[in-house]
């Protein structure tokens, strides 16, 4: 049997095409949550090392605090439909992650959750990404190209949109998203930071990967892999 298209009719422009929506099954919520938590736990020291070069050196510690709070609430979170789980996780990040990362990551998840809730509990992934990225832009008053997490999140959003337009199968679309995240992260290396503490370094911020973009890339890869694993027979 041929694998379903990555996107639904609304996104792909095919009124008769198979619809790819974000499910709210407990198992999927648990898989995505666990993948995100594990990615941050394993890489927390690396994130702090990256942040030490151009920031306060606490990005890994802050992210670990937030995702530890998510891990502690796992039982309650995985009992929720995806829309509610996203909003609850976003709130936990806002409350527990210090610095700018908490409000930014929190805004991303809160906006995605609200978009899913507005659609009655399920929504095309492209719509969730669109709302999440818009929320980060608004909260951070920033755009792609300023050496922030948006240098990963915007390419991820665009890669998914293009995968929908091209009618890719789910697995191929997700691989394209992962590649976009990786390339987006690397694109921050030659950039001069214009936002956050790194902006104080001016040209000295050039040559370093952005820690927020790095954590975004880690999380994108983790949830993509977890989703692919959940689709295996």
């Amino acid at each position: 049997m041929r694998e379903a298209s990555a996107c639904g009719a609304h996104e792909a422009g095919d009124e008769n095409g198979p619809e790819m929506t974000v499910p709210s099954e407990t198992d999927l919520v648990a898989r995505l949550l666990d993948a995100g938590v594990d990615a941050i736990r394993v890489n927390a020291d690396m994130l702090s090392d990256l942040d030490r070069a151009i920031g306060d050196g606490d990005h890994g510690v802050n992210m670990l605090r937030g995702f530890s709070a998510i891990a502690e609430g796992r039982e309650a979170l995985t009992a929720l439909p995806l829309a509610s789980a996203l909003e609850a996780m976003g709130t936990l990040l806002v409350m527990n992650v210090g610095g700018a990362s908490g409000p930014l990551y929190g805004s991303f998840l809160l906006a995605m959750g609200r978009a899913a809730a507005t659609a009655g509990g399920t929504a095309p992934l492209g719509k969730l990404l669109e709302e999440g990225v818009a929320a980060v832009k608004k909260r951070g008053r920033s755009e792609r190209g300023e050496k922030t997490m948006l240098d990963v999140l915007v390419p991820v959003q665009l890669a998914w949109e293009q995968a929908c337009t091209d009618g890719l199968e789910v697995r191929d679309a997700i691989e394209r998203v992962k590649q976009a995240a990786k390339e987006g992260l690397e694109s921050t290396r030659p950039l001069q930071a214009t936002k956050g503490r790194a902006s104080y370094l001016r040209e000295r911020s050039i040559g370093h990967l952005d820690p927020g973009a790095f954590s975004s890339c880690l999380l994108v890869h983790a949830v993509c892999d977890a989703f692919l694993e959940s689709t295996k027979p």
Side-chain angles (χ1 to χ4, degrees):
M1 180 179 295
R2 186 178 183 274
E3 185 180 358
S5 163
C7 303
H10 176 69
E11 291 183 272
D14 177 4
E15 293 183 354
N16 298 312
E19 187 171 354
M20 173 60 181
T21 58
V22 180
S24 59
E25 286 88 347
T26 297
D27 180 62
L28 180 59
V29 172
R31 285 176 182 268
L32 299 183
L33 185 156
D34 291 342
V37 169
D38 288 346
I40 295 302
R41 281 179 171 168
V42 170
N43 294 282
D45 288 343
M46 183 187 300
L47 292 174
S48 288
D49 288 343
L50 287 170
D51 195 33
R52 213 167 277 121
I54 59 174
D56 293 329
D58 58 0
H59 185 58
V61 173
N62 286 340
M63 291 293 287
L64 183 58
R65 186 186 305 117
F67 278 82
S68 294
I70 288 175
E72 290 171 8
R74 183 184 188 280
E75 184 176 355
L77 290 167
T78 56
L80 298 171
L82 182 60
S84 300
L86 286 169
E87 291 193 71
M89 286 189 284
T91 299
L92 284 171
L93 293 182
V94 170
M95 293 173 59
N96 289 280
V97 179
S101 297
L104 292 174
Y105 273 110
S107 296
F108 182 68
L109 293 181
L110 284 164
M112 291 180 74
R114 288 168 185 153
T118 299
T122 60
L125 178 56
K127 181 61 176 177
L128 302 194
L129 289 172
E130 178 185 348
E131 293 297 325
V133 168
V136 174
K137 289 180 177 181
K138 181 177 180 180
R139 186 63 184 249
R141 297 179 181 177
S142 56
E143 295 287 341
R144 180 184 183 183
E146 296 189 273
K147 206 181 184 85
T148 71
M149 61 194 293
L150 285 171
D151 292 308
V152 167
L153 296 182
V154 172
V156 162
Q157 178 195 359
L158 295 176
W160 184 261
E161 288 180 355
Q162 189 60 50
C164 293
T165 299
D166 294 345
L168 295 189
E169 295 179 353
V170 176
R171 186 169 296 275
D172 293 334
I174 288 179
E175 290 301 330
R176 180 178 287 186
V177 164
K178 289 173 63 179
Q179 183 63 28
K182 182 179 178 181
E183 293 174 0
L185 169 62
E186 189 57 40
S187 77
T188 67
R189 195 185 297 275
L191 295 176
Q192 179 174 322
T194 61
K195 298 292 180 182
R197 189 169 184 82
S199 66
Y200 301 158
L201 297 178
R202 298 176 186 258
E203 66 277 359
R204 285 181 294 157
S205 65
I206 296 172
H208 299 279
L209 293 174
D210 178 68
F214 199 101
S215 60
S216 295
C217 185
L218 284 174
L219 291 167
V220 167
H221 277 245
V223 299
C224 282
D225 289 342
F227 180 82
L228 288 177
E229 185 67 26
S230 74
T231 63
K232 287 184 178 180

